[in-house]
Amino acid sequence: MPEFHLPKCSSRNSGQRLIPKWKLAISIFFGALGIALLVLAVMYFGWLKMKKRTEPASSSKDDSSLNLSYGILLKATNGFSSSNLIGVGGLGSVYKGFLDENGTTIAAKVLNLTLHGAVKSFITECKALRNIRHRNLLKVLTVCSGTDYRGNEFKALIYEFMVNGSLEDWLHPSPSSANVDGNAHKLSLIQRINISIDVASALDYLHDHLQSPVIHCDLKPSNVLLDAEMVGHVGDFGLAKIVIDSTDDTKAKMSSAGVRGTVGYAAPEYGMESEVSREGDVYSYGILLLEMFTGVSPTNERFRENFNLHKFVKEALPEQPLEITDPFLLQEMESRMGTA
């Protein structure tokens, strides 16, 4: 507009308009490159994650992938030698074994299939252990079901080896387990309390934290194994019952009929063909506790007819608790008081 006497627009302004377009093009290029790199990174890390998930199934060092034949177990246990024998049960024997391929120490429970109920016990234990995982349960690594070199049927369960043996070994040590001074290793008060908590945690998991609760039916010291840190692990589910239908919170119909507990530990009502229940395991746990803190087995010769471990403890309480306490615990208490 001439009346404002303004200077004409410079021609350089038209050239400056090209600069934002170059900037936009460069930004679009690097933005697209960044998105492409991000997509590739996501795909790469996703592939790594999938690879990690599949590696344990094919790794020979993973216990869950163990595939053991009769021949491998025969070699690992030195021909099921008596020197490798670490336990004998009602339906089979347990051997310590060493696997050369990955250096794993195992405990192989070999079933005596000539005994009535051995095959049923094997199947029951496999079913019970199939879907349970807990730090206080004995870990089953794999099973072996086939034939031996003579063509006879062979079945074994392979467990994680517990270096400190069973609770039975510590409560009632044999003379051969004594040290050089002639003294057998015994459990301290704190160790007994911790182990009792471990067993209670295992029962709580089996009874109240599974979709199909499991009743152990054979809780006793020989079925509580101790690892290197003296942590208790409940094992031997050969007599276990899986709850398949519950009419109330305590009684249940079971997956199989009949109960074969251990004398001294089995609930009295089981002798009258009552249904197994959580209370039956709790009764066995109570007997286990009494044995742990008195040092007296419920199958001791002093218990005959109607006199048992429960009555033995009941008669001494509350006036004479020291009379029924394990003498080793009393010695431990005296030594602590002496050094205090």
Side-chain angles (χ1 to χ4, degrees), residues 37-54:
L37 291 175
L38 179 62
V39 172
L40 289 174
V42 171
M43 292 176 63
Y44 175 73
F45 285 112
W47 174 77
L48 283 180
K49 189 175 182 181
M50 290 297 295
K51 184 179 179 181
K52 288 181 180 179
R53 288 180 178 177
T54 56

Side-chain angles (χ1 to χ4, degrees), residues 173-221:
S174 62
S176 60
S177 63
N179 57 27
V180 293
D181 297 324
N183 298 318
H185 294 290
K186 299 286 282 187
L187 296 170
S188 68
L189 176 62
I190 296 301
Q191 286 176 322
R192 299 185 198 211
I193 292 174
N194 288 335
I195 293 170
S196 66
I197 293 173
D198 293 336
V199 176
S201 299
L203 288 181
D204 175 63
Y205 170 76
L206 293 172
H207 292 173
D208 299 315
H209 296 277
L210 292 173
Q211 185 175 1
S212 297
V214 175
I215 311 300
H216 188 277
C217 294
D218 198 24
L219 189 64
K220 56 185 178 180

Side-chain angles (χ1 to χ4, degrees), residues 196-260:
S196 66
I197 293 173
D198 293 336
V199 176
S201 299
L203 288 181
D204 175 63
Y205 170 76
L206 293 172
H207 292 173
D208 299 315
H209 296 277
L210 292 173
Q211 185 175 1
S212 297
V214 175
I215 311 300
H216 188 277
C217 294
D218 198 24
L219 189 64
K220 56 185 178 180
S222 60
N223 288 338
V224 178
L225 288 304
L226 306 174
D227 63 18
E229 283 72 39
M230 298 300 288
V231 175
H233 301 259
V234 176
D236 197 344
F237 285 76
L239 301 181
K241 310 297 176 183
I242 303 173
V243 178
I244 56 176
D245 180 33
S246 181
T247 55
D248 58 44
D249 200 33
T250 57
K251 302 295 182 182
K253 295 179 181 179
M254 299 296 153
S255 59
S256 58
V259 178
R260 296 170 299 160

Side-chain angles (χ1 to χ4, degrees), residues 34 40 81 99 122 150 218 221 237 323:
L40 289 174
S81 169
L99 301 179
F122 175 80
R150 296 181 179 180
D218 198 24
F237 285 76
E323 297 297 324

Side-chain angles (χ1 to χ4, degrees), residues 56-130:
S58 59
S59 175
S60 61
K61 294 183 180 181
D62 188 5
D63 293 336
S64 63
S65 67
L66 289 176
N67 185 15
L68 304 181
S69 64
Y70 170 80
I72 294 176
L73 289 179
L74 187 69
K75 181 180 178 182
T77 59
N78 194 24
F80 301 111
S81 169
S82 58
S83 60
N84 288 58
L85 185 67
I86 56 176
V88 178
L91 298 175
S93 303
V94 182
Y95 297 89
K96 182 179 180 180
F98 304 93
L99 301 179
D100 294 336
E101 59 267 24
N102 56 12
T104 301
T105 303
I106 60 170
K109 178 182 178 181
V110 180
L111 280 297
N112 184 353
L113 301 181
T114 62
L115 298 176
H116 176 71
V119 175
K120 181 180 178 182
S121 174
F122 175 80
I123 296 174
T124 298
E125 190 153 8
C126 289
K127 289 181 178 179
L129 295 172
R130 181 171 54 190

